[in-house]
Amino acid sequence: MIVDCGLYRDGHRTEGPEDFSDALAEARSSGNAFVWVGLHEPTEGEFDRVALEFALHALAVEDALKAHQRPKLEVYDDSLFVVLKPVTYEPDSDTVSSGEVMVFLGDSFVVTVRHGEGAPLKVVRDRLERDAELTRLGPTAVLYAVADAAVDHYLEVATELQTDLEELEAEVFSPQVGGSRHTASRIYTFKRQVLEFRRATGPLSVPATRLAGSGALGTDVPFVEAAARPFFRDVSDHLTRVNESVEGLDRLVSDILSAHLAQMSVRQNDDMRKISAWAAMAAVPTMIAGIYGMNFEHMPELHWMWSYPAVLLVMAVLEIGLHRLFKRRGWL
């Protein structure tokens, strides 16, 4: 559905026609205005009228309707199409979920399409309406504000994940719960959250570089004001920090998983040593009892009065000796 349709002139929102077709015509006739149409999970019928009026490319329209796109930037004849994936962090379940925001830029218009409940654009719209200097950049200002809000929230999510990782690390190396059977499951679940986060931040690097006008990919992008490049460079710098943080999280969680598996292996070896030590101690009296249980006729000890207590004494001495030996070597 259409959430909002605003007409902005000279950096300020002004009263305009309610119909976005008339608002677009008025914005183009004035020369220093643009229309911002915001939609949330529109149906195909709702979006067809918008696509027809703003002459949006059919492939971009298909991507905007189906969602589940990677972050990207595509240039068409009459518009620029940018896909962003805002992320949200649920502290109760320690999970990361992502939505999608598609931004169409063209001549005197910007159309935003949002999928998912996360990252509402009302905050972005309010911010722009309070900053007339930034809004004077036109549709480019909307693209910058949306990208800046998404990337700034990436930094917050990265901080939350870092805190979760520290807690997980403390659990893994805790002697009480480090060997818990649920620890490996928690590590794997955390790695899945990092992967979900990485899918949102990693592919955005190339579009951010192009918009910033820096590096090998930093060429002029149609429908983007050259004066906005410093703003996009700031977004690109923040995104680089996020990606570095995600890379570090991914490496650390892999190292923690390896350390946990190594700990489990060491504990299993300790258990096997203890079992082997007790089995060896049990084997000694079993062996002696087995020898005297063969019932051979010529066994001198069988007729000796002190044979029974002597055998018990030998068993006890051997058991004590083995126990002290294994204890000294850390097997018990």
Side-chain angles (χ1 to χ4, degrees):
M1 64 178 179
I2 297 179
V3 178
D4 196 0
C5 175
L7 176 63
Y8 297 83
R9 183 180 288 109
D10 195 26
H12 299 278
R13 182 165 182 164
T14 60
E15 293 294 332
E18 294 184 0
D19 185 79
F20 58 80
S21 300
D22 297 335
L24 178 61
E26 183 174 333
R28 286 176 173 172
S29 64
S30 64
N32 63 341
F34 69 95
V35 176
W36 180 3
V37 178
L39 301 98
H40 179 232
E41 297 182 354
T43 64
E44 185 174 353
E46 291 173 336
F47 200 57
D48 280 346
R49 182 166 173 253
V50 175
L52 182 63
E53 181 63 35
F54 293 101
L56 305 181
H57 197 278
L59 293 177
V61 170
E62 181 181 0
D63 289 345
L65 287 173
K66 291 185 176 180
H68 304 294
Q69 305 296 317
R70 299 174 73 250
K72 61 182 179 179
L73 183 152
E74 294 181 352
V75 179
Y76 297 101
D77 293 336
D78 299 320
S79 63
L80 178 71
F81 180 56
V82 180
V83 178
L84 303 168
K85 291 182 74 71
V87 297
T88 55
Y89 176 82
E90 298 294 339
D92 295 335
S93 57
D94 294 338
T95 57
V96 173
S97 59
S98 61
E100 290 186 42
V101 174
M102 286 80 167
V103 183
F104 294 87
L105 265 72
D107 179 18
S108 302
F109 74 85
V110 56
V111 176
T112 55
V113 182
R114 182 168 61 90
H115 291 269
E117 296 301 324
L121 297 181
K122 185 179 185 305
V123 176
V124 176
R125 192 183 288 267
D126 292 342
R127 172 192 171 189
L128 283 176
E129 291 177 0
R130 292 193 304 267
D131 190 347
E133 192 66 28
L134 177 61
T135 310
R136 286 191 180 93
L137 293 174
T140 304
V142 178
L143 176 59
Y144 159 72
V146 173
D148 186 56
V151 173
D152 283 348
H153 197 59
Y154 288 164
L155 291 170
E156 297 175 9
V157 173
T159 302
E160 295 287 350
L161 289 177
Q162 183 65 42
T163 302
D164 288 347
L165 181 62
E166 291 172 358
E167 295 175 356
L168 188 59
E169 187 177 19
E171 177 182 331
V172 168
F173 291 102
S174 170
Q176 286 78 24
V177 297
S180 171
R181 61 181 179 178
H182 302 295
T183 303
S185 176
R186 282 200 60 196
I187 295 173
Y188 180 75
T189 301
F190 184 85
K191 194 170 181 64
R192 294 281 300 181
Q193 305 311 314
V194 174
L195 178 61
E196 180 71 19
F197 192 28
R198 194 173 190 173
R199 286 173 179 165
T201 63
L204 189 58
S205 296
V206 174
T209 302
R210 291 184 63 185
L211 291 170
S214 58
L217 300 175
T219 57
D220 291 335
V221 179
F223 308 108
V224 175
E225 297 290 337
R229 282 188 175 183
F231 297 97
F232 285 112
R233 279 199 291 270
D234 182 66
V235 172
S236 182
D237 290 343
H238 289 177
L239 183 62
T240 300
R241 286 174 51 196
V242 171
N243 284 326
E244 290 174 352
S245 178
V246 173
E247 289 289 340
L249 288 171
D250 190 53
R251 286 195 300 269
L252 282 174
V253 74
S254 297
D255 292 343
I256 288 175
L257 179 59
S258 299
H260 173 67
L261 295 177
Q263 282 185 325
M264 294 296 292
S265 178
V266 169
R267 286 191 176 94
Q268 289 175 351
N269 289 337
D270 289 341
D271 293 340
M272 288 303 300
R273 282 201 299 266
K274 292 178 181 178
I275 293 172
S276 299
W278 286 110
M281 292 172 62
V284 171
T286 302
M287 180 188 67
I288 296 175
I291 291 174
Y292 285 98
M294 290 187 291
N295 296 322
F296 289 132
E297 184 177 353
H298 300 289
M299 295 183 69
E301 295 87 352
L302 294 178
H303 303 287
W304 183 38
M305 182 178 62
W306 300 103
S307 59
Y308 179 70
V311 169
L312 292 180
L313 179 62
V314 170
M315 289 183 180
V317 171
L318 291 176
E319 290 294 294
I320 293 172
L322 287 173
H323 186 274
R324 294 184 65 180
L325 175 64
F326 293 145
K327 193 76 173 178
R328 187 165 55 247
R329 293 190 176 182
W331 286 31
L332 290 175

